[in-house]
């Protein structure tokens, strides 16, 4: 799990309706809490990032033949594609595998809250010709509400968590903001 935020305000127990969020935030939670905070404040700098542009290109080309692509649910989560009972998430590299896994686990969890059960997940790395199957087990299902609570707490911080250098910083679109 991502590092602890320094001072998290108390958050009352809240249900899924109050805590639900988008998949990018769940992904960023496992990469860097500062990144999550900056993104949650709409400080997006991704358009200039080569890595993000590469990801988008790959994304557009990799699964163009699948029938159901870019499925927006509740204007909240965007599923890359649905093939039968498998939801796909397309990624550029495996460097942030844990974040990718939790993102798709969250999608499976989200859909289950809507009553859509029995789906499986698959992370596709077309450039590496690899795929990773993901199943929402009891352990992940129990952990996701706590992750959502922590995301909300980080978003509610008055200031961003301190920058802490990691290997993720090298390709991060906020690197100039943090270290420039
Ligand atoms: S540059 Fe590093 S510290 Fe800054 S937001 Fe990105 S990952 Fe976090």
């Amino acid at each position: 799990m991502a590092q602890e935020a320094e001072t998290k305000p108390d958050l009352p127990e809240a249900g899924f309706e109050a805590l639900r969020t988008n998949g990018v935030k769940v992904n960023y939670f496992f990469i860097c809490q500062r990144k999550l905070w900056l993104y949650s404040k709409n400080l997006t700098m991704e358009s200039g990032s080569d890595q993000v542009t590469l990801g988008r290109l790959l994304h557009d080309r990799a699964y163009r033949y699948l029938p159901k692509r870019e499925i927006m649910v509740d204007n909240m989560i965007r599923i890359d594609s649905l093939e039968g009972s498998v939801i796909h998430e397309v990624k550029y590299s495996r460097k942030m595998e844990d974040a990718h896994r939790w993102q798709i686990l969250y999608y499976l969890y989200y859909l289950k809250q809507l009553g859509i059960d029995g789906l499986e997940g698959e992370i596709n790395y077309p450039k590496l010709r690899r795929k990773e199957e993901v199943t929402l087990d009891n352990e992940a299902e129990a952990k996701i509400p706590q992750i959502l609570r922590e995301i909300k707490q980080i978003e509610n911080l008055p200031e961003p968590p301190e920058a802490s250098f990691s290997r993720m910083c090298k390709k991060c679109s906020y690197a100039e903001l943090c270290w420039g």
Side-chain angles (χ1 to χ4, degrees), residues 3 31-38 161-179:
Q3 77 269 25
I31 294 175
C32 169
Q33 294 193 355
R34 181 177 169 86
K35 187 175 172 106
L36 166 61
W37 189 93
L38 292 168
E162 287 289 313
S164 164
F165 193 79
S166 75
R167 67 188 175 91
M168 304 301 183
C169 297
K170 290 180 186 162
K171 303 265 166 131
C172 178
S173 55
Y174 295 111
E176 207 174 323
L177 191 70
C178 296
W179 310 109

Side-chain angles (χ1 to χ4, degrees), residues 135-169:
T135 301
L136 182 69
D137 58 18
N138 291 341
E139 196 185 339
E141 201 171 334
K143 214 164 168 177
I144 286 172
Q146 181 55 30
I147 292 168
L148 296 180
R149 267 191 290 278
E150 289 195 39
I151 288 173
K152 192 63 86 183
Q153 287 171 326
I154 293 162
E155 286 183 282
N156 288 343
L157 288 172
E159 290 178 8
E162 287 289 313
S164 164
F165 193 79
S166 75
R167 67 188 175 91
M168 304 301 183
C169 297

Side-chain angles (χ1 to χ4, degrees), residues 126-137:
K127 194 167 158 271
L128 306 173
R129 296 178 194 278
R130 296 199 63 151
K131 62 182 183 183
E132 185 88 27
E133 288 171 6
V134 180
T135 301
L136 182 69
D137 58 18

Side-chain angles (χ1 to χ4, degrees), residues 21-172:
T21 189
N22 67 38
V24 174
K25 287 184 192 170
V26 173
N27 184 307
Y28 285 0
F29 177 75
F30 287 92
I31 294 175
C32 169
Q33 294 193 355
R34 181 177 169 86
K35 187 175 172 106
L36 166 61
W37 189 93
L38 292 168
Y39 172 82
S40 76
K41 304 300 170 206
N42 292 321
L43 291 164
T44 50
M45 300 172 75
E46 307 253 300
S47 57
S49 158
D50 288 349
Q51 207 59 22
V52 171
T53 308
L54 270 174
R56 284 202 187 116
L57 272 175
L58 179 76
H59 194 274
D60 288 347
R61 294 173 59 184
Y63 289 96
R64 69 178 86 170
Y65 302 114
L66 285 177
K68 291 179 186 154
R69 296 188 299 136
E70 302 255 323
I71 303 156
M72 200 74 195
V73 180
D74 286 349
N75 218 19
M76 183 64 83
I77 60 166
R78 191 183 63 200
I79 293 163
D80 280 353
S81 96
L82 172 67
E83 190 184 22
S85 61
V86 179
I87 62 172
H88 295 265
E89 183 67 20
V90 181
K91 297 295 186 191
Y92 179 68
S93 87
R94 297 181 77 188
K95 283 196 186 118
M96 294 175 249
E97 206 165 6
D98 204 33
H100 299 163
R101 204 170 68 80
W102 280 103
Q103 184 177 351
I104 200 163
L105 280 167
Y106 175 58
Y107 292 162
L108 292 168
Y109 178 90
Y110 193 110
L111 293 169
K112 191 168 178 181
Q113 302 311 302
L114 300 183
I116 307 166
D117 202 359
L119 297 178
E120 292 290 323
E122 193 174 292
I123 311 170
N124 299 98
Y125 299 96
K127 194 167 158 271
L128 306 173
R129 296 178 194 278
R130 296 199 63 151
K131 62 182 183 183
E132 185 88 27
E133 288 171 6
V134 180
T135 301
L136 182 69
D137 58 18
N138 291 341
E139 196 185 339
E141 201 171 334
K143 214 164 168 177
I144 286 172
Q146 181 55 30
I147 292 168
L148 296 180
R149 267 191 290 278
E150 289 195 39
I151 288 173
K152 192 63 86 183
Q153 287 171 326
I154 293 162
E155 286 183 282
N156 288 343
L157 288 172
E159 290 178 8
E162 287 289 313
S164 164
F165 193 79
S166 75
R167 67 188 175 91
M168 304 301 183
C169 297
K170 290 180 186 162
K171 303 265 166 131
C172 178

